[in-house]
Amino acid sequence: MGVKVDAALELFKSGFACSQALLAAFCGAYGLDRETALKISSGLGGGFKCAEVCGAAGGAVLVIGLKYGQHDATDKEARKLCSEKTAEFMRAFREPHGAVTCRDILGCDISTQEGREQAMREKLFATRCVDLVARAAVILEESGY
């Protein structure tokens, strides 16, 4: 695995959310400091805290925005390119699971007590979530981020 993939996995395993691990591992190349990256992405973990879009995918989309995002309202080309790159990433991320939502990928709703207990019992955070962080990071790294 690449350096950024390893960094994302290390961040996740140390206790940061999946979204934080992704953005913080890649942010330096785009002028965003690690502390700000960790703060700005903290609400995306756990499927945006309600088992919706996987936080690893959310963090990766923030990386895509750092590289290709529109910062001038008249720059329609940047908007189009960022949209294309985001859709490309989401297709690749969805491919092995058939879904991008946390609850569908994990098979439980971690925004509920019951779902969180199931995820803990089945060790999903230490297995499946680690795999999702790695997958998102690999897709980004292989795409040149």
Side-chain angles (χ1 to χ4, degrees), residues 21-78:
L22 262 294
L23 185 58
F26 287 83
C27 69
Y30 305 103
L32 182 65
D33 66 277
R34 182 179 171 190
E35 181 179 341
T36 302
L38 290 168
K39 287 180 177 183
I40 202 166
S41 58
S42 62
L44 304 180
F48 290 47
K49 304 301 181 205
C50 56
E52 291 295 337
V53 174
C54 172
V61 168
L62 291 177
V63 173
I64 294 166
L66 283 173
K67 185 169 184 175
Y68 294 108
Q70 176 189 27
H71 61 86
D72 175 345
T74 64
D75 188 353
K76 304 303 182 197
E77 287 303 310

Side-chain angles (χ1 to χ4, degrees), residues 13 15 20 26 32 37 43 45 48-49 51 58-61 64 95 111 113-114 116 125 129 136-137:
K13 290 176 182 178
Q20 291 174 293
F26 287 83
L32 182 65
F48 290 47
K49 304 301 181 205
V61 168
I64 294 166
E95 188 176 304
S111 69
Q113 183 67 29
E114 180 183 323
R116 192 153 187 81
F125 301 118
C129 291

Side-chain angles (χ1 to χ4, degrees), residues 92-113:
F93 188 80
R94 176 185 291 113
E95 188 176 304
H97 313 289
V100 295
T101 58
C102 184
R103 78 173 59 83
D104 291 335
I105 295 169
L106 296 181
C108 59
D109 184 345
I110 63 170
S111 69
T112 67
Q113 183 67 29

